């Protein structure tokens, strides 16, 4: 019985680590955004690690996949299980911190393929910790599946294949797109809220300074505010999260007006997406004006979307000779649309028809 439970735990943990790692390896840039969120001031306040987020993301997801392979084939059991234990303790701490302090809404454990609430993520890690502890206390029952040369080859091959996959998706697009803006998505329909969908329950909290100390009061407490108290601020506390459509922060703003309804009716719309022009790839930017001219000659309306300031936009247009209008959209939304900076998106009557990395402009069909 003990052997059966141990082998079940071995397969369960190994397969789950491989699946979770491969999903994130499919989109390491997206996982790096999640790490950067953890490094931000409201969470762990370690902004000096933000520039390292992508490198750390790639290392962690490859390590996760390889650990799963090592466990399944029985490679260096003691090292493998200690690594699994330390990793799951670390992730359990992260997910508990996120859930308890409500600072990160989605841990990114399964990328965009499966969204878990903070408490669901924590529960998942506790379950994994339980099974890894079974493995930890029954290490002698975990034997290699193959002779040493074959076992070593399986592990080394997994490292090489993971590294190749990481390089590929970084220079192109994720192999499988799980994001709300995948090809075939109608943006307007993605923003719709179904009839009867649950609404958020929000409580207004009023902050007053009472005898030099900031104190919070709910609406029902307003009649009991002490005399002489001065108003400081008001904030909204979400009691129950309502339905949030897959696409909820998409705008096409210019000069203070949002033109998305008008632009999403265009039969031929080509969009250059670059969330931050200051960080955009120079080689990719150099090819945009040529594409702009070609697309316009074929009847396309060409625009660009960014979260950069007007000053940076003007500087960029001059630097690369770009003759397109720029529209503002939140950086998080633009990062969700496409990972490469810049990238090209073709939209037909509000529906995304094509998306390509700047390295794959020649694959566009106009």
């Amino acid at each position: 019985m003990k052997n059966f439970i141990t082998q079940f735990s071995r397969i369960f943990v190994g397969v789950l680590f491989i699946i979770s790692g491969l999903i994130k390896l499919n989109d390491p840039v997206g996982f790096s955004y999640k790490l950067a969120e953890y490094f931000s001031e409201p969470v762990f306040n370690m902004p000096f690690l933000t520039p390292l987020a992508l490198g750390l993301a790639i290392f962690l997801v490859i390590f996760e996949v390889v650990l799963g392979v090592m466990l399944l084939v029985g490679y260096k059991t003691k090292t493998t299980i200690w690594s699994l234990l330390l990793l799951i303790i670390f992730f359990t701490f992260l997910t508990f911190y996120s859930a308890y302090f409500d600072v990160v809404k989605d841990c990114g454990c399964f990328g965009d393929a499966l969204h878990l609430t903070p408490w669901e993520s924590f529960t998942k890690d506790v379950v994994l910790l339980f099974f890894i502890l079974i493995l930890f206390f029954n290490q002698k029952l975990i034997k290699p599946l193959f002779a040493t040369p074959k076992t070593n080859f399986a592990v080394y091959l997994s490292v090489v294949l993971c590294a190749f996959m990481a390089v590929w998706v970084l220079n192109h697009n994720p192999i499988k797109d799980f994001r709300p803006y995948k090809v075939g998505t109608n943006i307007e329909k993605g923003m719709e809220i179904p009839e009867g969908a649950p609404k958020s329950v929000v409580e207004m909290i009023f902050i007053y300074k009472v005898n030099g100390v900031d104190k919070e009061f709910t609406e029902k407490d307003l009649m009991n505010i002490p005399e002489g108290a001065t108003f400081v601020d008001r904030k909204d506390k979400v009691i129950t999260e309502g339905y949030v459509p897959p696409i909820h922060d998409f705008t096409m703003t210019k000069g203070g007006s949002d033109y998305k309804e008008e632009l999403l009716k265009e039969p031929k719309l080509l969009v250059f997406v670059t969330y931050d022009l200051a960080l955009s790839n120079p080689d990719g930017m150099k090819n945009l004006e040529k594409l702009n001219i070609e697309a316009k000659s074929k009847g396309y309306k060409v625009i660009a979307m960014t979260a950069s300031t007007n000053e940076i936009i003007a500087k960029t247009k001059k630097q690369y000779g770009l003759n397109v209008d720029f529209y503002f959209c939140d950086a998080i939304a633009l990062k969700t649309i496409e990972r490469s900076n810049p990238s090209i998106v073709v939209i037909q009557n509000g529906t995304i028809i094509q998306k390509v990395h700047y390295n794959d402009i020649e694959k566009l069909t106009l």
Side-chain angles (χ1 to χ4, degrees):
M1 185 64 176
K2 181 186 289 188
N3 185 60
F4 172 80
I5 294 174
T6 301
Q7 300 311 320
F8 173 82
S9 301
R10 174 184 185 174
I11 295 171
F12 177 76
V13 173
V15 170
L16 194 61
F17 262 68
I18 291 172
I19 292 174
S20 173
L22 285 176
I23 289 174
K24 292 194 288 288
L25 186 56
N26 174 65
D27 183 16
V29 175
F31 185 51
S32 74
Y33 294 155
K34 187 58 60 177
L35 290 181
E37 189 176 351
Y38 277 106
F39 297 150
S40 65
E41 184 178 346
V43 187
F44 291 118
N45 193 22
M46 296 188 292
F48 59 91
L49 288 177
T50 301
L52 304 176
L54 182 57
L56 287 171
I58 294 171
F59 171 78
L60 283 173
V61 296
I62 291 178
F63 188 48
E64 189 174 355
V65 174
V66 174
L67 274 179
V69 172
M70 290 167 63
L71 179 62
L72 291 180
V73 300
Y75 178 85
K76 295 187 177 180
T77 301
K78 186 175 181 181
T79 300
T80 298
I81 293 178
W82 266 106
S83 299
L84 286 167
L85 183 60
L86 293 174
L87 195 62
I88 199 61
I89 289 173
F90 174 68
F91 282 139
T92 303
F93 164 74
L94 282 185
T95 52
F96 173 77
Y97 187 92
S98 300
Y100 186 80
F101 293 102
D102 193 26
V103 287
V104 179
K105 301 298 182 183
D106 180 4
C107 70
C109 304
F110 295 97
D112 287 295
L114 177 63
H115 293 282
L116 300 178
T117 66
W119 285 115
E120 287 172 344
S121 299
F122 173 67
T123 303
K124 180 264 299 177
D125 285 340
V126 170
V127 171
L128 271 174
L129 177 60
F130 170 76
F131 284 107
I132 291 173
L133 285 173
I134 290 176
L135 297 173
F136 182 79
F137 290 113
N138 295 280
Q139 295 182 36
K140 293 181 180 179
L141 297 177
I142 301 175
K143 306 296 182 182
L145 291 183
F146 315 108
T148 300
K150 291 182 178 180
T151 300
N152 293 346
F153 177 76
V155 174
Y156 301 154
L157 180 62
S158 68
V159 174
V160 172
L161 291 177
C162 285
F164 175 80
M165 182 175 175
V167 172
W168 175 266
V169 296
L170 285 175
N171 287 281
H172 301 280
N173 271 339
I175 297 170
K176 175 67 175 175
D177 193 351
F178 295 103
R179 290 164 291 172
Y181 296 90
K182 59 182 176 289
V183 171
T185 297
N186 184 278
I187 296 174
E188 290 180 302
K189 288 184 179 178
M191 293 189 288
E192 291 178 354
I193 298 178
E195 187 176 349
K199 297 181 179 180
S200 297
V201 177
V202 180
E203 181 181 45
M204 289 190 292
I205 304 295
F206 299 87
I207 303 173
Y208 279 80
K209 190 174 292 291
V210 181
N211 297 325
V213 178
D214 288 349
K215 292 190 175 182
E216 296 183 352
F217 299 87
T218 62
E219 281 187 278
K220 62 182 180 181
D221 296 328
L222 291 179
M223 298 298 294
N224 300 320
I225 295 177
E227 186 176 349
T230 56
F231 175 78
V232 176
D233 196 6
R234 197 208 87 181
K235 62 182 181 180
D236 294 332
K237 180 181 179 182
V238 178
I239 306 300
T240 304
E241 188 76 59
Y243 175 82
V244 179
I247 298 174
H248 54 273
D249 50 4
F250 181 84
T251 62
M252 290 175 153
T253 306
K254 183 182 177 185
S257 299
D258 193 349
Y259 293 92
K260 66 173 176 285
E261 289 187 14
E262 173 187 331
L263 291 170
L264 292 179
K265 288 181 172 60
E266 288 284 342
K268 289 184 173 182
L269 180 66
L270 188 142
V271 185
F272 300 146
V273 177
T274 168
Y275 74 92
D276 189 340
L277 289 167
L279 299 177
S280 58
N281 182 275
D283 292 332
M285 294 297 293
K286 290 175 183 177
N287 295 322
L288 296 186
E289 182 56 23
K290 180 181 177 181
L291 178 59
N292 173 37
I293 295 171
E294 180 187 352
K296 285 179 177 177
S297 71
K298 295 182 179 181
Y300 280 83
K301 182 177 181 63
V302 183
I303 66 169
M305 295 177 65
T306 186
S308 299
T309 63
N310 289 330
E311 182 182 355
I312 295 178
I313 290 173
K315 179 181 177 181
T316 301
K317 290 177 71 172
K318 182 178 180 181
Q319 180 180 357
Y320 296 105
L322 270 175
N323 185 28
V324 295
D325 290 330
F326 275 80
Y327 291 79
F328 178 85
C329 184
D330 182 75
I332 294 177
L334 295 177
K335 289 178 180 180
T336 306
I337 294 172
E338 268 293 63
R339 301 309 193 197
S340 64
N341 184 19
S343 58
I344 299 91
V345 180
V346 179
I347 302 174
Q348 180 180 348
N349 297 317
T351 298
I352 297 173
I353 304 301
Q354 296 180 73
K355 296 199 305 180
V356 299
H357 191 284
Y358 60 79
N359 285 331
D360 298 318
I361 288 179
E362 71 280 358
K363 293 183 180 180
L364 272 177
T365 304
L366 298 178

